[in-house]
Amino acid sequence: MRFHLVDAFTDRPFAGNPAGVCLLPAGEWPADAWMQRVAAEMNHSETAFALPLPDNTEADWAIRWFTPLVEAKLCGHATLATAHVLRTERGLLGSVRFSSRQHGILVTHADEDGSITLDFPSAPGTATPVPDGLPEALGAEPEATLHAPALGDLLVVLPDEATVRAVTPDWNALADLTRRAGLRGVIITAPSAEPGLGYDFVSRFFAPANGIPEDPVTGSAHTVLAPYWSARLGRARLTGLQTSERTGLVRTAQHGDRVHLTGSAVSVMDGTLRA
């Protein structure tokens, strides 16, 4: 069985967010335990498994995502990586419909410039009190916190880009906090340092309890970030920079209860799964 490693939300290798992609043969899903072991072996933030569906179904492929520790509810960068592999390896152009277990049909569209757009459900947050211990776990004082129940994320608004870049979390404290609060992860964000830098806001994403201390570029987190920043800045189309060590750009467009996430991807490695 072929296995692919793709860097997503970047136009160059060794940047963006690496994702494993495994295109399965038609039929039934393999055992969950096997997919979890493959994801643990790959040890990237997510590995996507895609299963081709019969022609008479409402989607083209079924998709699931696994971190090294758990099955994920939604993953943007691994979906983008899967669409990239289908285009480069299978010649699938235009739109591809993916059936997900918790978020219905997700559509990707390969654009003429080589970028890929994801059509995902928007996941706006609502204001919530600052959880006990959060400032200490982050080493920064939030201006606001919002809970996005669709994904189980906490959006933490910080005063400026420099503060976001400087955050050095206490991983054990942050993992304990997210477990207690039933959170998938914590998104920190702030406006860009100045106009003209090519992005409107910055973010970072932490999910240490799920085996992802810091995710390089998190597509699904932008379903939370896009509605927040679109409302705050008064614009439907924005660009976010995730300021991890690898960094990556995500172009967002708010469309009612949907958000379009656009980025590029680069194949880095192909191989064969023998187990």
Side-chain angles (χ1 to χ4, degrees):
M1 188 179 303
R2 299 291 292 168
F3 182 87
H4 308 270
L5 179 60
V6 176
D7 288 342
F9 291 115
T10 182
D11 59 1
R12 65 187 190 277
F14 315 124
N17 201 351
V21 177
C22 186
L23 301 182
L24 300 167
E28 302 293 326
W29 285 107
D32 288 7
W34 178 84
M35 290 188 284
Q36 188 64 74
R37 286 195 296 269
V38 171
E41 186 78 6
M42 295 303 106
N43 201 33
H44 294 298
S45 57
E46 261 95 5
T47 296
F49 298 86
L51 183 75
L53 297 176
D55 291 340
N56 60 350
T57 54
E58 61 180 348
D60 307 300
W61 293 75
I63 191 167
R64 294 170 69 181
W65 313 273
F66 287 79
T67 81
L69 295 181
V70 298
E71 182 171 3
K73 294 180 180 179
L74 182 69
C75 181
H77 83 277
T79 305
L80 189 149
T82 304
H84 170 78
V85 170
L86 288 172
R87 179 175 64 184
T88 57
E89 299 294 320
R90 301 290 179 93
L92 296 184
L93 304 175
S95 297
V96 178
R97 301 165 300 167
F98 292 97
S99 174
S100 69
R101 290 193 161 191
Q102 298 198 33
H103 293 276
I105 303 299
L106 307 172
V107 179
T108 67
H109 185 82
D111 300 310
E112 291 183 2
D113 63 0
S115 64
I116 293 171
T117 296
L118 313 178
D119 182 345
F120 273 20
S122 183
T126 55
T128 190
V130 176
D132 290 342
L134 179 66
E136 294 78 9
L138 293 177
E141 192 66 37
E143 287 191 338
T145 50
L146 297 87
H147 180 234
L151 294 177
D153 288 343
L154 184 71
L155 180 64
V156 180
V157 183
L158 297 178
D160 51 46
E161 180 175 333
T163 303
V164 169
R165 290 180 179 271
V167 163
T168 304
D170 179 330
W171 298 120
N172 290 332
L174 195 60
D176 288 344
L177 184 153
T178 54
R179 289 191 191 100
R180 290 197 311 270
L183 297 170
R184 178 185 76 149
V186 172
I187 310 162
I188 62 173
T189 190
S192 63
E194 58 183 85
L197 292 176
Y199 54 90
D200 302 289
F201 61 88
V202 296
S203 68
R204 293 170 67 188
F205 180 81
F206 312 125
N210 286 336
I212 309 169
E214 179 165 4
D215 195 35
V217 191
T218 315
S220 59
H222 283 76
T223 68
V224 184
L225 289 158
Y228 173 80
W229 285 109
S230 287
R232 178 166 163 175
L233 299 178
R235 293 174 16 229
R237 295 181 179 274
L238 300 168
T239 299
L241 172 69
Q242 195 153 330
T243 59
S244 65
E245 182 177 348
R246 293 171 64 102
T247 75
L249 288 170
V250 182
R251 302 198 302 275
T252 70
Q254 193 70 30
H255 295 275
D257 62 354
R258 309 291 294 183
V259 60
H260 292 178
L261 310 174
T262 301
S264 300
V266 180
S267 295
V268 175
M269 187 184 302
D270 300 313
T272 302
L273 284 173
R274 299 187 182 277

